[in-house]
Amino acid sequence: MGRVSEPETVPEQVPVWERRFRAGRVGLPEWAEDAPDRCVVAATVHGVLEVHSFDAATGRLRRATERPEGTSGATIDPAGEFVWWFDDTAGDEFGVWRRQPFGSGPGEGVEDPLGLPAAYPAGLAIGRSGVVVAGGSDDEHGTRVHVVAGGTSRVLYAHREDAWVADLSPDEELVAISQSEHGDSRHPDLRVLRLSDGSVVRELSDGPGKGVSPVAFSPVPGDARLLVEHERAGRAELLVLDVATGEETPVVLGVPGEVAGAEWTRDGRGLVVLVDHHARTLLHRVDLTTGHVEAIGPSGGSVGAATARPDGDVWLVWSSAQRPPAVRTLAGDVLLRAPGEPAPESVPVEDVWVDGDGGRVHALLRRPAGAEGPLPLVVEVHGGPTAHDTDAFRAYPSTWVDEGFAVVQVNYRGSTGYGSVWRDALEARVGHTELADVAAVADHLVATGVADPQRLVLAGASWGGYLTLLGLGTQPQRWAVGLAAVPVADYVAAYEDEMEGLKAFDRSLFGGSPQQVPGKYEDASPITYVDAVRAPVLVLAGQNDPRCPIRQIENYLARLEALGVVHETYRYDAGHGSLLDDERVRQMRVELDFVRRHLP
């Protein structure tokens, strides 16, 4: 029991699973509105994710940042003159925006152009004239939105509850924000403010339990239309709001699933829309003039992100569980390859549907090619909880398959992608609702001979780590080993220490703070059930994590120690995860070693 370090193993050659973790990574380039060949993109260099300038005309990729903990949050101004990136401390997500000239190297011309106090980021919009609208949150003020222009700043919006800057209109007269002044950040309202004085130009609210959020203004100057996401029909859909008149025009896709993202075409006449359906994310193009909708791009797997180009092309990042990701054009040509060796392929997923307490539960199963059951099974629980697992490439589950395990990922109640009712069903009894679905899938795989009931591993990170600890305490006879990364372990202490935006999320989820509804937090907290834990448990924790802070994890570990439960802890000097390949590999090795030693 106690803290562990990376196992001291020196393999004769790098195993396939490690090659996947160390394969180059690259995101979708974000391009400058008025200089579309100038882009900013996050990509790995020497195993660290950093911000780069990317010239699409020449294919040149140049690193802009070089920080020990890596850098991921970035954008570019409309003229393509500057690369902007968010500067925090060792992954704590609390910091300031910096910028440097496009094409410059690490440390070259870096400045703090806003001069604002450090905060958690809450959206950034940059205008053609140089005006910047920056959202930030902290424990003292809640959320504040600043306008910075000509070397001076002023507060445009402020409220204790959560808010986010979505976009600045091309004429720089209007700012669209999502806000939750009503106290429910899970179902925000829309507000359009006048940049000059902060006056309200337009508001949109669909009432309790139905969020409505701004996506983006039309890119055409003088066009007062705003793309909006709503859930009036019980799933994420789109409409176009004329901010000047208040007229709303629904965007009818006529395809199964729910909207996962959308972007205007550059002429303002159409949209490129991502749609989630049964754990696949596919791409569609909408002609707003005729209403015509067509599927474009790959017909399987998942499109992780996409952007419409001025020439009518679409750039996208696509992968499947079997095939690693790449940045491609709509025709399928590779636009940008990650530096270094490509990741080895893995196995495809199998769809599993299981009848649960709240309806049919969808899960994705991976297992070694040709393997006969029953197999040891890793039940990997996704984070969020407002997220879901898709048919997409990931090194983590592929590693367990290489080790001879079956892996199942469960899109439990609380997940996105299956409608608003499914997403919000966890509010009835937070944690327990999700785990009922997880258990139903695990039991099904045992009953059908896929999984060995004596070798079930419950694993997850963030909300998945939380559900892992809660499951070990509420379903102690089911699980043989638990692997919980950056978890919520003591919910009350977590609320006290976490970033303000997550406090607002928790108040929305539970219907109040721990002081207001103490029974709900107690019922949902893993530490409430720690006395029942029987399985060996490994906890991985970031020292600077603002989302699942370290103190509440230490509270839980102290209880395990007092109870004599077999447990080990791996701590790393970063926040809610790591951008370093070396660190990601170390954590995977620790998990593999722990399971090898403790699984029957």
Side-chain angles (χ1 to χ4, degrees):
M1 290 182 282
R3 185 170 177 173
V4 296
S5 301
E6 177 191 359
E8 295 183 1
T9 58
V10 183
E12 295 181 0
Q13 59 183 14
V14 178
V16 170
W17 71 261
E18 185 172 336
R19 287 167 52 201
R20 292 196 194 95
F21 276 97
R22 295 194 183 280
R25 291 176 285 159
V26 64
L28 182 72
E30 178 184 342
W31 51 273
E33 288 283 345
D34 300 331
D37 283 338
R38 289 193 165 196
C39 311
V40 62
V41 64
T44 48
V45 56
H46 303 309
V48 181
L49 199 65
E50 294 287 4
V51 174
H52 292 67
S53 298
F54 171 57
D55 188 325
T58 65
R60 184 182 185 223
L61 189 69
R62 182 164 190 206
R63 179 174 45 163
T65 58
E66 184 175 11
R67 302 193 308 151
E69 63 274 21
T71 318
S72 60
T75 189
I76 193 167
D77 66 288
E81 294 181 356
F82 294 100
V83 168
W84 291 65
W85 50 275
F86 191 75
D87 184 13
D88 64 356
T89 301
D92 66 0
E93 302 182 45
F94 191 80
V96 300
W97 284 98
R98 303 195 187 279
R99 74 177 187 186
Q100 63 191 83
F102 180 87
S104 61
E108 297 177 4
V110 177
E111 59 181 347
D112 175 4
L114 304 182
L116 299 175
Y120 297 108
L124 184 75
I126 306 171
R128 286 178 168 84
S129 70
V131 64
V132 178
V133 182
S137 67
D138 58 31
D139 289 340
E140 181 179 357
H141 299 98
T143 304
R144 292 189 297 179
V145 175
H146 287 85
V147 177
V148 182
T152 63
S153 66
R154 57 184 170 88
V155 176
L156 180 73
Y157 172 88
H159 199 275
R160 286 300 313 172
E161 293 292 344
D162 197 42
W164 186 267
V165 175
D167 200 15
L168 173 67
S169 63
D171 58 15
E172 301 180 7
E173 292 185 1
L174 306 174
V175 177
I177 67 170
S178 67
Q179 53 85 10
S180 54
E181 294 178 7
H182 55 302
D184 184 359
S185 66
R186 283 168 51 80
H187 307 93
D189 291 342
L190 179 155
R191 182 172 295 170
V192 178
L193 304 174
R194 196 173 303 281
L195 184 70
S196 59
D197 59 9
S199 59
V200 177
V201 177
R202 187 70 58 188
E203 290 193 283
L204 198 57
S205 173
D206 285 344
K210 291 186 176 182
V212 55
S213 303
V215 178
F217 286 103
S218 164
V220 178
D223 188 345
R225 293 177 300 159
L226 176 67
L227 185 62
V228 176
E229 184 178 305
H230 66 91
E231 49 185 308
R232 294 172 181 174
R235 64 176 186 169
E237 296 180 321
L238 297 169
L239 62 83
V240 175
L241 171 67
D242 188 316
V243 175
T245 66
E247 180 183 2
E248 300 175 15
T249 304
V251 178
V252 180
L253 296 178
V255 299
E258 63 182 36
V259 170
E263 183 176 297
W264 293 90
T265 56
R266 307 336 291 170
D267 58 8
R269 297 177 181 175
L271 305 172
V272 171
V273 183
L274 294 171
V275 177
D276 285 332
H277 181 59
H278 291 177
R280 278 80 183 174
T281 307
L282 303 181
L283 196 57
H284 299 75
R285 182 151 43 199
V286 181
D287 186 324
L288 293 176
T289 304
T290 65
H292 178 67
V293 178
E294 64 172 331
I296 57 176
S299 59
S302 294
V303 177
T307 183
R309 293 284 289 168
D311 61 2
D313 197 4
V314 178
W315 291 352
L316 54 97
V317 178
W318 176 90
S319 74
S320 69
Q322 184 176 11
R323 296 181 59 191
V327 181
R328 302 177 182 273
T329 64
L330 192 57
D333 299 325
V334 175
L335 172 74
L336 181 60
R337 292 189 185 276
E341 293 295 319
E345 291 191 356
S346 186
V347 298
V349 294
E350 307 167 43
D351 292 276
V352 176
W353 291 90
V354 178
D355 290 330
D357 293 343
R360 297 190 77 204
V361 184
H362 188 203
L364 299 175
L365 176 66
R366 310 176 195 224
R367 47 183 163 177
E372 296 290 337
L375 299 168
L377 175 71
V378 173
V379 181
E380 190 204 357
V381 192
H382 71 72
T386 47
H388 69 285
D389 281 312
T390 61
D391 181 4
F393 193 83
R394 287 184 56 231
Y396 183 85
S398 299
T399 299
W400 291 110
V401 173
D402 289 352
E403 292 290 308
F405 287 75
V407 180
V408 70
Q409 298 163 300
V410 182
N411 287 330
Y412 51 75
R413 279 172 289 171
S415 303
T416 54
Y418 301 85
S420 303
V421 171
W422 188 264
R423 181 200 63 204
D424 292 343
L426 82 169
E427 295 175 2
R429 194 181 179 197
V430 176
H432 301 269
T433 299
E434 304 97 288
L435 284 169
D437 292 345
V438 170
V441 171
D443 291 349
H444 169 79
L445 294 178
V446 168
T448 54
V450 173
D452 181 344
Q454 302 303 314
R455 295 187 291 169
L456 301 183
V457 178
L458 186 59
S462 191
W463 195 263
Y466 155 67
L467 291 176
T468 295
L469 295 185
L470 186 65
L472 296 179
T474 60
Q475 304 168 349
Q477 304 306 318
R478 177 172 276 106
W479 309 109
V481 174
L483 306 171
V486 290
V488 174
D490 177 349
Y491 223 127
V492 174
Y495 181 91
E496 293 169 352
D497 295 351
E498 67 192 4
M499 58 198 298
E500 177 56 36
L502 286 180
K503 285 186 171 72
F505 179 91
D506 285 339
R507 291 193 297 270
S508 299
L509 185 62
F510 288 99
S513 68
Q515 290 71 36
Q516 295 169 316
V517 287
K520 288 188 175 182
Y521 282 83
E522 181 181 7
D523 181 60
S525 184
I527 204 168
T528 301
Y529 310 95
V530 68
D531 290 0
V533 174
R534 298 293 179 268
V537 55
L538 171 68
V539 177
L540 302 93
Q543 289 290 140
N544 310 311
D545 192 343
R547 298 173 180 268
C548 298
I550 195 68
R551 179 176 68 94
Q552 54 93 25
I553 293 175
E554 291 173 340
N555 292 348
Y556 185 88
L557 294 172
R559 290 288 302 277
L560 289 180
E561 183 70 27
L563 291 165
V565 176
V566 175
H567 69 282
E568 294 175 4
T569 313
Y570 177 87
R571 300 171 190 251
Y572 59 96
D573 190 19
H576 199 63
S578 176
L579 303 178
L580 280 62
D581 289 351
D582 282 348
E583 180 56 48
R584 296 165 67 230
V585 167
R586 279 193 292 268
Q587 293 182 26
M588 191 73 250
R589 284 179 181 160
V590 167
E591 292 197 27
L592 290 169
D593 177 68
F594 187 83
V595 170
R596 287 165 180 158
R597 287 186 286 114
H598 294 289
L599 192 67

